[in-house]
């Protein structure tokens, strides 16, 4: 039951196909933001934030969401340094993906998440969201930005092939 891990969105796009919902994850040290798409893979919608405990419990929660929503693939935000190099959080994200791929056949892709939290914060500020509410939703809103970026790239790939 080994899920394939893709460093490029092109291979992931081919693996999941065009008519199945996807999930996007913003992995933090304390939380995991989750966003999902519609079946047409056109719009990313922030879903929820999971409080992290242990990997096994986190994975069970994520996979339960995937099962309930018939998710066909996962897009994980890859927290590259601003200069594009890998940092310690990239290593932990890749380790999370490897461990998760042992528990599910779902394909997993990485998507550059630089500035996704900044974009999410800006959108929440523009919506006049209170500081308390921003703290509650920032992670799954950031996951929505990560997933939407991957969706837009996949749509571009499919239109040009």
């Amino acid at each position: 039951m080994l899920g394939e891990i893709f460093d490029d969105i092109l291979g992931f796009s081919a693996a999941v196909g065009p008519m199945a919902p996807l999930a996007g994850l913003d992995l933090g040290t304390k939380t995991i933001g989750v966003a999902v798409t519609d079946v047409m893979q056109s719009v990313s919608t922030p879903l929820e934030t999971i409080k992290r405990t242990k990997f096994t419990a986190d994975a069970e929660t994520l996979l339960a969401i995937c099962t309930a929503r018939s998710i066909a693939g996962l897009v994980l935000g890859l927290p590259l340094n601003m200069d594009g190099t890998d940092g310690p959080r990239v290593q932990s994200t890749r380790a999370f993906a490897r461990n998760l791929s042992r528990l599910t056949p779902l394909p997993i892709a990485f998507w550059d998440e630089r500035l996704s939290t900044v974009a999410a914060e800006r959108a929440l500020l523009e919506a006049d969201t209170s500081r308390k509410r921003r703290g509650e939703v920032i992670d799954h809103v950031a996951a929505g930005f990560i997933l939407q970026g991957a969706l837009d790239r996949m749509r571009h790939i499919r239109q040009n092939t």
Side-chain angles (χ1 to χ4, degrees):
M1 187 187 346
L2 197 60
E4 192 169 356
I5 299 174
F6 296 89
D7 276 318
D8 67 290
I9 209 72
L10 181 63
F12 176 77
S13 180
V16 297
M19 295 292 292
L22 305 175
L25 306 177
D26 180 27
L27 295 176
T29 54
K30 297 178 182 175
T31 61
I32 302 172
V34 182
V36 295
T37 69
D38 57 330
V39 175
M40 301 293 291
Q41 297 176 2
S42 57
V43 177
S44 169
T45 304
L47 181 65
E48 67 179 90
T49 298
I50 299 167
K51 298 281 185 218
R52 291 190 76 169
T53 54
K54 294 187 176 189
F55 173 79
T56 305
D58 298 344
E60 281 178 15
T61 303
L62 284 172
L63 295 177
I65 291 168
C66 291
T67 300
R69 295 186 166 266
S70 303
I71 299 297
L74 299 167
V75 176
L76 273 67
L78 195 62
L80 298 169
N81 292 327
M82 288 308 287
D83 65 1
T85 60
D86 288 4
R89 289 192 53 230
V90 167
Q91 295 169 2
S92 65
T93 299
R94 289 188 186 279
F96 184 92
R98 278 192 307 276
N99 292 334
L100 190 61
S101 73
R102 294 182 185 117
L103 303 175
T104 180
L106 293 176
I108 299 171
F110 295 112
W111 186 256
D112 182 353
E113 74 165 39
R114 284 179 283 186
L115 302 178
S116 63
T117 302
V118 172
E121 182 84 24
R122 185 171 297 138
L124 291 169
L125 285 169
E126 287 175 7
D128 201 27
T129 309
S130 72
R131 180 183 298 257
K132 180 178 187 262
R133 183 71 180 140
R134 282 196 312 268
E136 294 168 354
V137 302
I138 189 72
D139 295 315
H140 59 272
V141 172
F145 275 92
I146 291 164
L147 186 54
Q148 190 64 51
L151 289 176
D152 293 346
R153 179 69 182 130
M154 289 168 58
R155 188 175 311 110
H156 179 76
I157 289 167
R158 289 175 180 152
Q159 288 173 348
N160 293 311
T161 53

